[in-house]
Each structure stands twice: as C-alpha cells, then as structure tokens.
Amino acid sequence: MATQHSRTAARLMLAPAVILLLGWMLVPLTMTLLFSFKQYLPMRGGDLGWVGFDNYIRFVGSSAFWPSVVTTLVIVGSVLVITIVLGVLLALLLDQPMWGQGVVRILVIAPFFVMPTVSALVWKNMFMDPVNGLFAHLWKFFGATPISWLSEASMTSIIMIVSWQWLPFATLILLTAIQSLDSEQLEAAEMDGAPPLSRFGHIILPHLGRAIAIVVLIQTIFLLGVFAEIFVTTQGSFGTRTLTYLIFQRVLESQNVGLGSAGGVYAIILANILAIFLMRIVGKNLDR
Amino acid sequence: MARAVTPRRKAVNTALAWAVGLLIFFPILWTILTSFKTEATAIADPPVWLFFDWTLENYAVVQERSDYSRFLWNSIIIAGGSTLLGLIIAIPAAWSMAFVPSRFTKDILLWMLSTKMLPAVGVLYPIYLIFIQFGLLDTRIGLTVVIMFINLPIIVWMLYTYFKEIPGEILEAARMDGATLREEILYVLTPMAIPGIASTVLLNVILAWNEAFWTLNLTAAKAAPLTAFIASYSSPEGLFYAKLSAASTMAIAPILILGWFSQKQLVRGLTFGAVK
C-alpha cells in the first residue's frame, strides 16, 4: 500500500516527463495555430498581419490540394491493402513447421530496419533506373521496353517502395498474433473435418481482427507522414505530392508559412481523428 | 503441442518460405553485393551475381571523399544521446505510473501516446523557427532533443509495460525481510527491470537512427547523420551505384544487427503493448 509520502514522490518523478511533453506539444502547436491566421512570408516582408480564415480557404482552394489528398489516400490505402493481405499470408506461412524458420524470419523482417533514405535510393537507382536498373535488365531480357518507373509509373513505384518497408511490420505483428492462437482449437476443428479455408475464415481471421486493426491504425499514422521516400525520389512531381509533402513545400520551399500552417492544422485534425480510434483499442488493453 | 506434419509438407513449406524470404531480402542482399563490385561491374548487363573481382575500394572512396565517419559519428551521438536523455526522463515517470498508479495514470498514458500522433509537418515551421532563434539549426544537440521528444512516448510506454510485469509481492517480501529502500532498488528492482530497459534502449536506438523527417529538415553539413548523408546521393554525378551501395551498407549494417536481436520487443514497442 502506497503511503502519502511515496505518492508525493511518485508525482514528482512523473512531473518532468509530463511537463516536457506538454511543452513539446503546446508550444509548436500554438505557434502553428497563430501562423495559420496570418499572412506570414518570412522572405517577403515577414509577418503581414491577421487574415482570418483566408489561409484555410486558400489552402483548400488551391489546385494542388485535392490531388494531394487523392495521392495521400491512394498511397495509404494501397500500402495498407498490400501489407495486410501479404502480411496475413506470410504470417500463416511462417507459422508452419519448417527448417530454418528463424533465418527466414530474419530475412523477412530486415527491410524494416533499413533507413527510409537508403531504401528509397536503392530502389530508385538499382532497381527502377530505366537504363541500369535491374528491372530494366529484366524487361530487356524478356524483350520488353524498360519502363521509366519513377516518371511513368510514379505512384506504383512509391507504393512498391513503401510497401516493401512496411510489410515486415505487418507480418511480424500478425505472426505474433497467430502464434498466440490456441492450437487446440485449430486441431479440434481439423479433427471435426473443417477444411483449411473455413478454419482460416472462422478461427484464424476473427482471432486476427484486433491485430489487423492495430496494424491499420499504426501504419496509417506513419504512412500519412511518408516524407523521405518522396523527398529523394520524385520530389513530389509526377503526381506523387502527398498532403505532407505539399505542406512541406508551402512552408519551407515557397516560405508561405501562413498557408502552410493552415495545411498543417488540417493534417493535425486528420491525424487526431485516426488517433481517437487507436486510443480506444490501446486504452481497452490497459484495463485488462 | 506441435501439430504433426508429413516430411513432404514440411519440405514444401521450407522451400516456399525460403523463396519468399529471399525475395523480400533481395534488395538488401543486392546492395551488399554491389558494394563489393567496381562501378563498371555494378551496371553490367546481364547483371553479375557472385563471380566478380571483389573489391573494398568503394568503402575507401566513400570514407575519403565524403568523410563518412563524421556522419556515422553524428548518427551515433544523436541516436545514443536521444535514447539516454529519454531514459533519464522516462524511467522515473514509468516507474511512478507502474508502481504508484493514480486515477489519472491511464489518461496520462493515453495522452502521451497522442503526442506521438502529432504530424511532424504540422509543427515543422515552429520548430524550425525555434531552432533558428536559439542557434540550434544544424547542431547535434538540437536534433538530439527533437528526436528524444519524438520517441519519449514510446520509451515511457515500453518501460511502463515492462515495469507493470514486475510483481509487487516480491518488493513486499524484500521489505519484510528488512531490506532498506536502497537495497530494494539496487538488488531487487534493478535486476528485474534491466531486460525491459535494454529492450527499450534497443528499439529506441533503431527508431532514432532511422528517423528521416527531422534529420533531413533540420541539418545541413555539420550535424547531418547518415539518413541525410545518404540523401545527398539522390543527385549524383557519374557512375555511383557501387559507392551508393557501400555507403548504404555501412549505414544500415549496425541497425540490421541490432534489429535482429530485438524482433520481439519491436512488436511490443511499436504497438504500445497492445500486441505482445
């Protein structure tokens, strides 16, 4: 039983983390919020006063806005579908008895540890380059004309790179979830003559529901912020400008801080809506 | 109990799994192989797989021309420093919430998690401005602090879930046996907490090492870690595949090795304890 004394000590131990995180969150957030209501051009006159909701209207009204939303949704959606479908299949495969399971697991997980700039550049140059890339060699071998991946199939390329980075994460979490499945239940179903497909549909998939939800939410949060992969490949051209990249360009490249900040507020609201769902799941887990 | 399978089925599983595993690993393997080739061999058509004159020249060139070790050192300082700083702040906090919970503990934990979800780009300019104001742009200390903040919620959460698993009865027993608070912390709690702290350190170093949004936006030549160094290869001159591969291999090797040790903790850390 905690005494009054130890409770006070505990509060003091908690305080630095709470105060620092609060500052880290509130100070920049307040600044972004303030800037978003201002005409603020650091290179061209600086702070030019309050403009109300102008930036919010202009950000949404610009011709770049809706395409960037579509691009963002396509990237997030495609990567989610690819990583979860392949992740479930891979997790099922890795769960089977085999020789060298540990080594295979390591091979599958490895891409997750590769820094984003390295994986983007390796894919861009050594695989997707239309002259010297491995894909070009492969296409020529089959008598096809090599594709200039990052300009002709820019979205496909980005989705491939990002999926490769995130497939290990989905696989690892789904595998962990599958391994926690009670194998007796599966054996019982097998003995009762349930075919593999219905064992999967009725026992494994429902069991994976929560893990899939977590993968979706966590990946969505990270995928909305995909940056380095675009920064070192297309720089946002060829229709790969995501919302994150658009805001980055407004703020740092064209130095229109007011407009960019309004975009930032939109991004924060979007992330928060998703965050609420994730918190529900994680919060429920805390009560157990 | 393991399900019984026929050797045939096991062989099929093995072949299939190895094929898929190698396919996924292939880009990394190819990068490592290419790093030992000459530039001419690196772009040879058809590609050369294993039978070429292995050379270490690229590694020497990368180090010589771009002062690779400086970027490596920056990465080590930033990843290590942010982890250490994070631990100093997070250990007492996690400890307090795990052992002396209050009715706000759950809310505080969830709120901490929510700060992790703040999109970086939404606060890019304020941080940039603060960095200029305080002369932190392109400094290691500035980046160390920012990355510490980014990962602090994960550190607190991981430590919390590990501390939670230390049974309180053991502490009480130690107290009954007459252990002083100092002895209790030193001989009972610390040994039990060390595995959890080690896993937390491992995961945090990996995340900090690979962080690429802030490192690209807040550093230039001086404090750039490996993520930013590699990005300078996006607009190269002349033949550079072998050199890119050598630089990439050096940048990812330490983390690949660390990462392989931390697979289990990775799941726990990245799902905030929701999947173990």
Side-chain angles (χ1 to χ4, degrees), chain A residues 127-151:
Chain A
F127 287 85
M128 293 170 170
D129 188 271
V131 182
N132 294 323
L134 272 187
F135 288 162
H137 296 327
L138 195 67
W139 259 238
K140 272 184 278 181
F141 180 78
F142 287 108
T145 318
I147 301 168
S148 178
W149 286 88
L150 283 160
S151 49

Side-chain angles (χ1 to χ4, degrees), chain A residues 1-2 6-7 10-11 13-14 16-18 20-22 24-25 27-29 31-32 35 40 42 90 93-118 121-127 129 132-134 137 140 164 167-169 172-173 176-177 179 183 186-187 190 210-211 214 218 221-222 225 227-228 231-232 244 247-248 251-252 255 257 261 264-265 267-268 271-272 275 278-279 281-288, chain B residues 1-3 5 7 9-11 13-14 16-18 20-28 30-31 34 43-45 47 49 89-90 92-93 95-97 100-102 106 108-119 121-130 146 148-150 152-153 156-157 160 172 206-207 209-210 212-214 216-217 226-228 230-231 233-234 239-241 244-245 248 251-252 255-256 259-260 262-264 266-267 270-276:
Chain A
M1 203 48 227
S6 71
R7 263 201 295 274
R11 298 297 164 270
M13 282 158 78
L14 183 57
V18 171
L20 283 170
L21 264 180
L22 203 63
W24 164 250
M25 185 185 78
V27 174
L29 210 57
M31 287 167 79
T32 295
F35 294 152
Y40 186 20
L90 251 165
L93 178 62
L94 290 180
D95 188 43
Q96 303 296 316
M98 69 178 73
W99 289 289
Q101 196 165 29
V103 184
V104 176
R105 235 171 86 136
I106 284 173
L107 295 179
V108 170
I109 294 165
F112 191 76
F113 302 120
V114 177
M115 52 178 70
T117 44
V118 165
L121 279 180
V122 163
W123 278 96
K124 175 191 178 184
N125 293 299
M126 293 161 62
F127 287 85
D129 188 271
N132 294 323
L134 272 187
H137 296 327
K140 272 184 278 181
W164 180 73
L167 179 59
F169 174 78
L172 196 58
I173 288 179
T176 310
Q179 282 170 345
S183 68
L186 273 178
E187 272 164 42
E190 203 172 344
R210 211 173 70 100
I214 289 167
I218 292 176
I221 286 159
F222 281 101
F227 176 79
F231 184 79
V232 298
T244 297
I247 299 168
F248 158 76
V251 170
L252 282 194
Q255 292 270 323
V257 174
S261 297
V265 174
I268 291 167
N272 270 296
L278 178 59
M279 308 289 223
I281 300 188
V282 176
K284 247 179 225 153
N285 208 58
L286 270 184
D287 291 332
R288 278 204 317 221
Chain B
M1 200 186 82
R3 275 164 290 163
V5 286
R9 199 167 139 212
K10 195 167 170 181
N13 285 340
T14 307
L16 198 61
W18 275 86
V20 175
L22 285 172
L23 190 70
I24 290 174
F25 188 71
F26 182 72
I28 298 173
W30 187 244
T31 307
T34 306
I43 57 164
D45 183 18
W49 299 94
I89 298 165
W95 197 279
S96 140
M97 287 191 286
V100 196
S102 73
K106 190 183 155 189
I108 292 173
L109 277 168
L110 287 178
W111 164 74
M112 284 184 169
L113 178 56
S114 78
T115 65
K116 177 74 196 153
M117 291 166 198
L118 199 64
V121 76
V123 292
L124 173 58
Y125 199 75
I127 299 294
Y128 187 71
L129 208 60
I130 293 170
V146 165
M148 184 277 285
F149 273 123
I150 307 246
L152 188 58
V156 173
W157 264 86
Y160 172 79
E172 266 167 50
I206 294 169
L207 292 177
W209 189 274
N210 288 343
F213 181 80
W214 295 108
L216 287 174
N217 279 311
L226 289 167
T227 41
I230 296 290
Y233 277 85
S234 62
L239 286 176
F240 70 108
Y241 282 16
L244 168 68
S245 300
S248 299
I252 63 176
I255 285 315
L256 271 182
W260 285 336
S262 68
Q263 298 174 35
K264 274 275 168 198
L266 192 76
V267 173
L270 288 173
T271 60
F272 305 99
V275 175
K276 276 181 211 164

Side-chain angles (χ1 to χ4, degrees), chain A residues 79-94 108 163-164 167 170-171 174, chain B residues 20 24:
Chain A
V79 174
L80 281 180
V81 171
I82 292 170
T83 52
I84 287 174
V85 171
L86 293 182
V88 170
L89 294 176
L90 251 165
L92 286 172
L93 178 62
L94 290 180
V108 170
S163 300
W164 180 73
L167 179 59
T171 307
L174 294 167
Chain B
V20 175
I24 290 174

